[in-house]
Each structure stands twice: as structure tokens, then as C-alpha cells.
Amino acid sequence: MLYREAGQFKTNYVADSAIFPLREDRIGLALIILAAYALAFFGSSFLLQAVLIPFLVFSLAAIGLNILTGYTGLLSLGTGAFMGVGAYACYKLMTAFPGVNVIVWIFVSGFFSAAIGALFGLPSLRIKGFYLAVATLAAQFFLQWCFIRIPWLVNYNVSGALDAPLRTLFGIPIMGPNATPQTRYLLVLTIVILLTWLASNLVHGRIGRMWIAIRDMDLAAELMGIRPLQTKLLAFAVSSYYCGVAGALLVFLWYGGAEYDVFNINQSFFILFMVIIGGLGSLIGSFFGAALIFILPIVLGIVLPAMLAPFGLSVGADVIEHLRFMIVGALIIFFLIVEPHGLARLWQIGKQKLLVWPFPY
């Protein structure tokens, strides 16, 4: 038997409430983390720069949206704008205080995004559902207008773009043209692991139970003593914090510079699709959704030409892009109708089958 629960007894409350109660889960997670760090030394520059770094960044943004939409039940279409707030805040801070390590500003920039998210989350006490989605959509367009029309945000740069100056950590370049993909990947991976661990503790603790109570029935939660406004604003703030940090990582540790259009409405929808396909109310689902949405075009670009080459056929990039949208659209419809918990639920079902294999009866 690969994996079994029998015989693993819990003798105290801490063991009973552990996030990974099974020894096999803890060993598996440790192996995954070790393999992720090993890829920095054995993976190619293309794999690190074009695949793994953006995958981690979008996973972090999806975790942020999942906290708001999956755990609290509040729909947001302003994720891209909140990522932009984090990126612009990080740019202003590191140019105003160049002597402070940029990693500090990456984490601090999330607080600016959290404040803006909480501000636009104020209507959530009175409205929800479609109307709340429209309110966050207004935040998306308003913030994007600010990115375009306020030159102070880019230090009056004529191009209106954010650029990544050279920054080092212990003498090693981690930002700018001299930073290697390996160094940036290790930094992004460490930040994502740290924030995922923090999010896991939040959603499995008292705050997470408050969010879930608001999601399931806000009136009953209020009768139980949970304050809806504070709980919803906290969800908006935490969600926006994660999106802000993801935006800073996106610009300064992946792109190396960007313009306002990076944080448009399409970005918000793509991250929402990641959450829907990966699984609402699941942290691991955020990683699954980001992997499918972002890595799918890369896989299609490699697999389809290889499959069609023996027949003398070729496929263009536009066809692959159309296929990507068709597949993503079909998966969204499937998971919304058939399995709302997305790929995370299918993963859970697979684990349960391992519990009884090879003795299914």
C-alpha cells in the first residue's frame, strides 16, 4: 500500500488540527519543495525564466484571489489592478530609499495594495454577488486610469514604464540586467513558499473559519457573533496584499520592467480562471489552476507541432492561442457545472483511491 491512514494516531489537539495530519503528506510536501529548489541548479534558463517564475507568481496571485472568492465568497474582478498597486508601490519605495534591501520593499508594497483593497471592499457590507463584482470592476478601471494619468507613480519617466534597477543581496544581483534566472527563481520560490505557509495557517485557523462562515451564510455568521464588515474587509486586505506582492514579483523579478497595460482587465480574468479551474477554497488548487492556464500554451506549442510533423502539417501560434482559449473555456464550464471544487477535488479523489489501493473492497 502506497499510502495509509490506519495506525497514525493523534494524541493531542495540535496533532489533530495539523494541516498535514498524515506522515505521507508531510514527506510528499518536503520532497516537492526539495525538488523545486533542485530545479534551480538542474533546470535550464528557459525553464526557470519562461515557465517556473511566472507559474509561481501567478500561483501567488491566485492564492490571494482564492482567499477572497473561494474562502469568503466575495467575487472580485480587480485583481490585476491590485497587482499593479503593489508593483507601483514597490517601484516608488525602492527608488525613494535605494539603501534598503528590495526584498523588504516587496513585502511592504503588499500593505499599500491591502489598504487600497480594503477601501474598495467597503461596499461589500451592503452588496454582494454581481453588484460587488461590478464595484471591483470599477476599481480595476479607476486604478488603471491612475497608472496612466499620474506620472508621479513612475517618477515622471517619459516612457511611463516601470524599470528594474540593479539591486543585490549579499553582493549577488537579484534584480536588474545582471540578475540570473537561477537567482530570481530561488528568491521567488522562497517568497511564494513563505506566503503560502502563512495563507495555509490563516485559512485553517480562527480567521479562516470566520471567512468560511461568512461565505456559507453571512446572516447566520453575524448571529454567531462574527462581525461581517471587519471580516470582509480583512479578506479584501489579505487578498490584495498577496496580489500586491505578486505584482511586484511579476514586474521586477520576471519581466524586469513593464507598462501599465500589464495590469489590465485581462489579467484579472485570467487569475479568476485559475481559481475556478484549480478549485474554489483550495490553496493547492491555486497552483493547479496557474499551471494549467499558464503552462498549457507552452505544452501545446511543443506537443502539437510534434504530433502533426509526421503528416507534413504545421500549426501557427494563432491556432495554438485559439485552442488555449477553447480548452480553458470548456474547462471553466465543466468545473462550474460538474465539479465546482476544480482540479483540487480531482486530486483529493485520487489521494483517496490511493488510501484503499490495492485492496478496494
Side-chain angles (χ1 to χ4, degrees):
M1 186 175 292
L2 300 178
Y3 177 123
R4 60 182 297 168
E5 188 174 4
Q8 298 192 38
F9 303 107
K10 303 173 183 64
T11 57
N12 53 60
Y13 178 76
V14 175
D16 187 58
S17 60
I19 298 173
F20 298 102
L22 296 183
R23 180 177 59 253
E24 288 81 1
D25 284 339
R26 295 191 293 271
I27 295 174
L29 179 63
L31 291 176
I32 291 173
I33 293 175
L34 288 175
Y37 276 103
L39 283 173
F41 303 99
F42 299 103
S44 64
S45 296
F46 172 79
L47 178 65
L48 299 177
Q49 176 67 25
V51 180
L52 294 180
I53 291 178
F55 160 67
L56 291 171
V57 170
F58 286 122
S59 297
L60 187 63
I63 288 174
L65 183 58
N66 218 336
I67 288 174
L68 185 64
T69 302
Y71 285 96
T72 317
L74 303 173
L75 182 60
S76 173
L77 296 177
T79 308
F82 298 139
M83 292 175 68
V85 172
Y88 280 88
C90 184
Y91 179 75
K92 290 296 295 183
L93 289 169
M94 71 180 181
T95 52
F97 305 98
V100 180
N101 193 281
V102 69
I103 298 177
V104 175
W105 295 137
I106 289 175
F107 284 105
V108 172
S109 64
F111 290 105
F112 289 85
S113 184
I116 298 298
L119 177 63
F120 283 101
L122 285 172
S124 64
L125 182 63
R126 298 295 181 186
I127 59 176
K128 56 185 176 180
F130 171 76
Y131 299 99
L132 181 60
V134 171
T136 57
L137 186 62
Q140 167 71 42
F141 290 123
F142 173 74
L143 291 172
Q144 194 172 350
W145 178 88
C146 292
F147 301 152
I148 301 171
R149 300 299 180 183
I150 303 178
W152 175 80
L153 292 174
V154 292
N155 293 333
Y156 301 96
N157 190 343
V158 177
S159 67
L162 299 173
D163 56 350
L166 177 63
R167 293 292 185 270
T168 61
L169 179 65
F170 304 117
I172 302 174
I174 58 174
M175 183 183 297
N178 295 330
T180 63
Q182 181 188 52
T183 304
R184 285 182 287 178
Y185 169 73
L186 287 172
L187 181 57
V188 172
L189 177 62
T190 303
I191 292 174
V192 170
I193 289 175
L194 178 63
L195 291 180
T196 303
W197 171 77
L198 178 61
S200 182
N201 281 277
L202 278 175
V203 300
H204 288 91
R206 180 180 62 87
I207 294 175
R209 291 192 292 271
M210 290 166 56
W211 287 339
I212 294 171
I214 290 292
R215 178 195 67 189
D216 292 343
M217 186 175 291
D218 53 356
L219 180 59
E222 187 175 6
L223 293 174
M224 293 167 58
I226 297 173
R227 298 180 178 180
L229 178 60
Q230 289 85 340
T231 304
K232 291 179 180 180
L233 289 184
L234 179 61
F236 264 100
V238 174
S239 171
S240 300
Y241 177 87
Y242 275 74
C243 293
V245 173
L249 296 177
L250 178 78
V251 173
F252 300 111
L253 292 179
W254 181 32
Y255 284 151
E259 296 183 348
Y260 66 89
D261 196 49
V262 171
F263 308 108
N264 58 21
I265 185 64
N266 292 335
Q267 194 77 277
S268 299
F269 276 113
F270 274 125
I271 296 171
L272 179 61
F273 297 159
M274 293 175 190
V275 173
I276 293 174
I277 293 176
L280 292 167
S282 169
L283 296 182
I284 193 172
S286 302
F287 288 91
F288 288 153
L292 185 68
I293 294 291
F294 185 78
I295 299 179
L296 179 63
I298 299 174
V299 174
L300 288 176
I302 296 174
V303 173
L304 276 182
M307 292 176 60
L308 297 177
F311 303 98
L313 301 175
S314 62
V315 58
D318 54 341
V319 176
I320 293 175
E321 189 67 14
H322 290 314
L323 282 175
R324 174 198 180 192
F325 282 111
M326 291 171 61
I327 294 172
V328 169
L331 288 174
I332 290 172
I333 295 172
F334 172 79
F335 285 121
L336 284 176
I337 296 175
V338 179
E339 183 49 77
H341 295 289
L343 293 172
R345 177 59 181 166
L346 301 181
W347 167 260
Q348 188 66 29
I349 293 173
K351 285 173 59 179
Q352 291 173 355
K353 290 185 180 296
L354 285 176
L355 285 172
V356 297
W357 185 87
F359 306 105
Y361 301 108

